[in-house]
Amino acid sequence: MERDIGAGTAPAEPANAAGASQWLTLPACKRVLVVVHTEVYGQRLRDVLPLLESDLRIQVDFTIAPHAFNAGAARSLPWAQGSPLPWETALSRRYDLVLAAGSQGVDALRGPLLRLPHGAGHMKLSRPADDRDPGAPRTVGGLGRRYLVRHGRVVPRALALAHRDELLTLSRHCPEALPIAEVVGDATYDRLTASLPLRTRCRTALGLRGGQRLLLVSSTWGTESSFNRLDSLLPRLLSELPSDDYRIAVLVHPNVWSRHGDWQVRSWLSAARRRGIALVPPDADWRSMIIAADWVIGDHGSVTLYATLTQAAIILARFPAEDVDPASPGAELERIAPALSPSHPLPEQLAYAQAAHPAVEYARIAHRISSEPGRFGRNTRRLMYRLLELGEPAYEPSLPPLPLPRRLWGTHRTRRSHLGDVPA
């Protein structure tokens, strides 16, 4: 979560900018800037890019904005090779549309900004250290004034929301932004639900054998995340669950990788990895993992909330209710999902979570993630082209199905890398 949107003022357009257009093959394109603050934000923005594909009227540039979790942001850019625009260059240019999932520094960019969410709605509260007025109530992250207003002005031209209930949240924390808010739905919701029939293919792609069960341990970032309990949870999983019947994978929030470093995260989990627990790479598409999972042991991160869309049974290893908006679907999940017990055998707890799976309640919670199910592509493309002042292409927009996950099991070989032994 960011501190605020401030980052100075934008410099003027370079004097030779107009002359540079002589080298372009399509010089009259509308210019779109995709602003990536972190790996998570970049992953979110990649869901929007298919809505701009194949349109020769549009040129898309990418830049990485200053942020505490910058490391790893380049991994989320949609190419294997190449360099984004330097931030200083992006500040010097004028754009017809700016897309961002974060707020830090975007007030200095020149062009109409569309701010998109970067998680399952707006669930987490602002961190106490971010509050400018000591003792003031904590705001819902992303929807408070510090994220939307700069120098008395609402910065985004449009604010995309996933659910109509978020309009009420916005009215409490930043009512002056209500006129620019638009409910478009949630891309992850739509892509997950469309890809649920791929469950068997996802499990095969991971290397699961017939009859094996997949347990996915998920952690968000921060001191109240379940990452702080992995040193006790993972040894329990290894000692109490038969390795022939269960496969265990750990999904760690990219912000943990970013701030502590890839080598360090792998090092902390090296003992578990040597005993067969798979560590999901930070650039992997985690959504196919929860489709394949039989259980998700999680916390107050978005992954746990999105698991309500799948067949997975949910167990909460940690949930700091004081850091979550009590009106959010995440808070409702905490009131319903079973909590991990330190004193009862894990096989019993897993069996209980499956037998007591509150499918009706989970469906209700999942419904609160998006009030525009299946319509994110249509709604978001319409909004972007309106801001671009262009007519939409004459075909229905669509989002691709989720990619199959990378293979995590099925061979005893390991390959050497600069990070150490990695399962092949």
Side-chain angles (χ1 to χ4, degrees):
M1 191 179 297
E2 304 158 294
R3 296 187 65 85
D4 55 45
I5 59 174
T9 50
E13 187 82 0
N16 61 351
S21 64
Q22 66 179 308
W23 309 112
L24 298 175
T25 300
L26 296 176
C29 288
K30 294 277 189 174
R31 303 300 293 258
V32 176
L33 179 67
V34 177
V35 182
V36 178
H37 290 82
T38 73
E39 189 163 0
V40 170
Y41 296 5
Q43 291 168 352
R44 279 287 173 153
L45 293 169
R46 289 184 68 163
D47 283 336
V48 178
L49 296 181
L51 305 175
L52 298 172
E53 288 179 348
S54 304
D55 194 332
L56 272 65
R57 300 172 297 170
I58 294 174
Q59 163 75 45
V60 179
D61 295 331
F62 299 85
T63 191
I64 296 178
H67 197 279
F69 295 121
N70 259 166
R75 280 193 294 237
S76 66
L77 296 175
W79 58 67
Q81 297 177 345
S83 299
L85 283 178
W87 178 244
E88 293 76 13
T89 302
L91 290 174
S92 70
R93 295 181 178 177
R94 188 177 299 278
Y95 286 91
D96 300 289
L97 177 63
V98 177
L99 300 175
S103 57
Q104 189 165 311
V106 294
D107 62 310
L109 294 166
R110 306 170 71 190
L113 168 68
L114 169 57
R115 241 280 310 279
L116 294 137
H118 58 260
H122 296 83
M123 178 170 54
K124 296 180 182 179
L125 296 176
S126 60
R127 290 172 295 148
D130 286 348
D131 290 336
R132 292 176 176 172
D133 301 319
R138 295 167 68 183
T139 60
V140 174
L143 296 184
R145 287 187 175 88
R146 68 174 54 85
Y147 306 105
L148 296 170
V149 175
R150 186 67 175 171
H151 302 307
R153 176 181 66 90
V154 176
V155 174
R157 181 73 60 84
L159 175 65
L161 301 176
H163 199 284
R164 67 177 70 92
D165 288 350
E166 293 173 321
L167 292 170
L168 180 59
T169 304
L170 184 65
S171 70
R172 293 197 305 267
H173 296 287
C174 189
E176 56 266 53
L178 277 172
I180 58 106
E182 190 148 343
V183 179
V184 300
D186 185 290
T188 289
Y189 182 104
D190 290 355
R191 296 187 71 189
L192 259 175
T193 53
S195 299
L196 289 176
L198 301 177
R199 174 177 164 82
T200 299
R201 293 181 61 189
C202 287
R203 292 172 65 84
T204 300
L206 286 168
L208 295 170
R209 301 195 308 269
Q212 284 186 324
R213 318 299 295 280
L214 173 59
L215 195 157
L216 180 65
V217 179
S218 173
S219 172
T220 188
W221 68 279
T223 57
E224 300 301 320
S225 71
S226 60
F227 192 88
N228 296 284
R229 296 186 175 175
L230 293 186
D231 58 344
S232 59
L233 174 59
L234 297 185
R236 284 192 67 193
L237 295 173
L238 287 167
S239 63
E240 296 185 39
L241 301 180
S243 59
D244 289 340
D245 300 329
Y246 294 86
R247 291 296 190 187
I248 303 164
V250 178
L251 179 63
V252 178
H253 195 288
N255 286 0
V256 182
W257 296 83
S258 170
R259 204 60 181 166
H260 293 282
D262 289 12
W263 180 90
Q264 186 62 73
V265 174
R266 294 183 185 276
S267 173
W268 279 332
L269 300 177
S270 58
R273 293 168 56 222
R274 284 193 293 269
R275 297 182 61 187
I277 289 182
L279 178 58
V280 181
D283 59 338
D285 197 317
W286 53 266
R287 294 171 290 194
S288 58
M289 294 292 300
I290 62 171
I291 289 175
D294 296 288
W295 295 273
V296 172
I297 297 181
D299 53 19
H300 60 307
S302 293
V303 173
T304 318
L305 187 56
Y306 282 120
T308 59
L309 290 164
T310 73
Q311 297 182 27
I314 299 170
I315 299 177
L316 295 178
R318 194 167 193 181
F319 198 97
E322 66 278 6
D323 293 331
V324 175
D325 177 13
S328 69
E332 185 178 0
L333 179 62
E334 190 264 343
R335 294 189 288 267
I336 293 173
L340 189 68
S341 168
S343 57
H344 288 74
L346 281 172
E348 292 183 11
Q349 296 189 60
L350 298 181
Y352 174 86
Q354 285 195 320
H357 187 275
V360 174
E361 289 85 351
Y362 284 177
R364 183 182 68 246
I365 293 170
H367 183 70
R368 295 184 60 194
I369 298 173
S370 171
S371 58
E372 292 288 316
R375 296 185 288 273
F376 175 85
R378 183 196 70 183
N379 294 338
T380 304
R381 192 181 75 171
R382 179 187 301 140
L383 175 57
M384 289 192 296
Y385 275 80
R386 188 177 78 222
L387 294 172
L388 285 166
E389 299 181 347
L390 286 176
E392 294 184 61
Y395 56 83
E396 286 294 323
S398 62
L399 299 177
L402 293 175
L404 293 176
R406 305 174 191 176
R407 192 173 188 86
L408 295 180
W409 299 283
T411 176
H412 295 293
R413 295 182 299 104
T414 59
R415 59 181 173 81
R416 296 294 297 177
S417 80
H418 66 289
L419 297 174
D421 290 339
V422 181

